[in-house]
Amino acid sequence: CTSIVAEDPSGNLYHARNLDFGLFIGWDIRNETWEITEALKPLIVNLNFQRSGQTVFKSVNYAGYVGILTAVKPKTFTLSMDERFNKDGGFIGIIEWLLGIRTGSWMGFLTRNVMENSTSYSDARDVLSNTEMLAPAYFILGGTKSGEGCVITRDREKTIDIWEMKSAGGWYILETNYDHWTKPLFLDDRRTPANNCMRNMTQTNVSVKGIFNVLSSKPVLNKLTTYTAVMEVSTGHLETYLANCTDPCFPW
Amino acid sequence: QVPPFKEECVKDAYPPPASLLVKEYIINLDLAPEERWAELVKEKAELIKNILAKFKEFVRDWGQEAAKLIELVDEKFGKFDDTLPEPFRGELLGIAKYSNLNLGEVVLYNIFYEIFTV
């Protein structure tokens, strides 16, 4: 996955992401695609969660999955989640849950609760930072005001780090699937290409179009990418496209 | 081509073809949890079944021990829903009902993330 929060010169905030899923789950030799990735694509839907006929938040989901991976609460905050791999991963959390140790929260349920109930960027940040979980994760959060963007690096029990947009370079913050203070695995470095494309774009060109172009640049876009979504918090706009990485395209 | 991959920063990908644009559905939070996902899952049930079948096939390829995991999911995970908080428990029950999927499979689908962080 690749998530970006970026600010245009007037302080308007955009939040975008590629969702990559399906590595090593069945390579289709004939079509040169990942089987699970392709099977997920027709399940992708935009959801408008409403109460009393009013939008509470909008999200991008795989139909039948009730948790939240990408969402915007209009005029309030935006959220995306990137997978964080760890040997103390979700499997241990599931076993603990089965054994009756149920102090942690399922990732998707936590993000859904945040989208439904949190009323501000800082409130969402507090809940995502301070709730015990069953699996590690990266939460990428965008606000409404200039400089409001951060990446929360989570272990199951606690927050390891909160990385602010200000210290990430000022006008954008970008997360893939590695702790920002370590180098990504050289076999799977989408961070350097994405950063290069963001710098090429420059802050002047931050817009739905500009960020979509960055996320469409290979290998940021690759054969594991199921969708690209772009959100604008000030308007609550959410635009999602199925990924289409034409050959030659990197497998991940 | 071998990693590390060199980027190609594109400038003309937007807008992509309209055929790639994702459709929007409304989830009415005023409805009972069991009813919220009815319309959507009725439409997508076969696709959800397809992905779960592919996932099971993949797990079975790991061998007999892994196949036991699938049996566990099918036979026991249905009871797992009792441990889930509301409104999610109710929503999963509704999804199983309207998609004609085994409840254990619906639970599995909804904890994919925790499984894949290994």
Side-chain angles (χ1 to χ4, degrees):
Chain A
C1 305
T2 304
S3 288
I4 302 168
V5 179
E7 185 176 323
D8 73 11
S10 63
N12 198 32
L13 284 157
Y14 294 85
H15 189 153
R17 68 99 41 87
N18 277 355
L19 200 148
D20 302 353
F21 190 86
L23 184 63
F24 303 134
I25 311 181
W27 178 250
D28 179 340
I29 296 169
R30 194 172 54 180
N31 296 311
E32 298 190 335
T33 54
W34 296 101
E35 283 187 38
I36 290 281
T37 308
E38 294 306 306
L40 277 170
K41 285 182 183 177
L43 285 165
I44 297 166
V45 288
N46 278 2
L47 299 179
N48 187 332
F49 286 80
Q50 296 187 346
R51 204 172 271 136
S52 306
Q54 300 293 310
T55 298
V56 180
F57 68 94
K58 296 177 188 173
S59 68
V60 190
N61 282 51
Y62 299 111
Y65 181 78
V66 303
I68 299 297
L69 306 173
T70 309
V72 52
K73 190 157 191 164
K75 297 183 178 18
T76 314
F77 62 87
T78 50
L79 171 67
S80 62
M81 193 284 311
D82 286 2
E83 190 164 11
R84 182 167 186 257
F85 302 98
N86 195 308
K87 62 185 175 201
D88 183 15
F91 223 78
I92 296 171
I94 293 171
I95 291 166
E96 285 184 358
W97 186 275
L98 289 169
L99 293 173
I101 305 166
R102 293 178 188 146
T103 50
S105 175
W106 298 90
M107 187 281 300
F109 299 166
L110 170 62
T111 48
R112 169 83 181 272
N113 279 331
V114 165
M115 292 313 300
E116 275 194 52
N117 302 317
S118 291
T119 53
S120 67
Y121 171 76
S122 59
D123 183 21
R125 195 176 128 128
D126 283 349
V127 177
L128 292 168
S129 304
N130 296 320
T131 307
E132 189 181 334
M133 296 171 65
L134 295 185
Y138 298 106
F139 294 123
I140 301 90
L141 194 63
T144 54
K145 299 186 193 109
S146 175
E148 283 187 340
C150 67
V151 175
I152 302 166
T153 302
R154 284 294 316 254
D155 246 354
R156 292 199 303 120
E157 293 89 1
K158 62 184 187 307
T159 292
I160 293 178
D161 180 76
I162 300 181
W163 186 33
E164 303 286 348
M165 188 155 76
K166 285 171 202 157
S167 55
W171 60 276
Y172 80 92
I173 190 164
L174 188 151
E175 175 61 51
T176 58
N177 301 96
Y178 297 91
D179 297 344
H180 71 88
W181 59 93
T182 63
K183 280 188 176 176
L185 185 68
F186 84 101
L187 286 168
D188 181 34
D189 183 7
R190 283 161 285 115
R191 184 202 293 171
T192 307
N195 274 318
N196 289 343
C197 291
M198 284 298 286
R199 289 185 201 115
N200 277 352
M201 180 182 72
T202 73
Q203 187 180 14
T204 313
N205 293 308
V206 169
S207 60
V208 171
K209 178 185 175 183
I211 302 177
F212 186 88
N213 281 334
V214 170
L215 290 173
S216 300
S217 300
K218 299 166 188 175
V220 185
L221 176 73
N222 58 72
K223 291 213 169 176
L224 287 170
T225 310
T226 56
Y227 69 79
T228 301
V230 188
M231 304 176 279
E232 190 178 356
V233 69
S234 61
T235 59
H237 180 67
L238 165 65
E239 201 169 320
T240 311
Y241 293 95
L242 301 180
N244 179 30
C245 193
T246 51
D247 285 319
C249 178
F250 305 111
W252 61 81
Chain B
Q1 297 176 69
V2 291
F5 303 124
K6 177 84 179 112
E7 72 274 6
E8 304 164 23
C9 299
V10 297
K11 292 184 175 170
D12 56 357
Y14 188 87
S19 59
L20 298 177
L21 189 64
V22 169
K23 188 179 163 188
E24 185 181 275
Y25 294 78
I26 289 171
I27 300 294
N28 184 353
L29 294 170
D30 295 323
L31 293 175
E34 289 79 0
E35 302 301 320
R36 291 173 184 173
W37 299 83
E39 183 200 350
L40 178 60
V41 298
K42 277 184 206 165
E43 188 180 319
K44 302 282 187 183
E46 289 308 312
L47 296 166
I48 301 173
K49 282 176 192 162
N50 176 46
I51 198 153
L52 284 164
K54 280 187 187 297
F55 178 70
K56 285 181 175 180
E57 189 184 310
F58 164 73
V59 173
R60 283 197 185 99
D61 283 347
W62 286 356
Q64 224 169 11
E65 289 302 313
K68 283 183 187 163
L69 180 70
I70 296 298
E71 284 171 35
L72 180 76
V73 168
D74 285 344
E75 291 168 19
K76 308 281 185 198
F77 262 39
K79 292 174 187 160
F80 199 53
D81 79 291
D82 283 341
T83 71
L84 299 177
E86 290 292 354
F88 306 113
R89 178 180 173 275
E91 292 188 4
L92 299 191
L93 284 168
I95 290 168
K97 176 182 162 189
Y98 287 107
S99 63
N100 283 322
L101 274 160
N102 175 335
L103 179 59
E105 291 179 314
V106 175
V107 173
L108 171 73
Y109 185 58
N110 275 274
I111 62 170
F112 255 22
Y113 177 72
E114 276 74 11
I115 292 172
F116 278 97
T117 50
V118 175

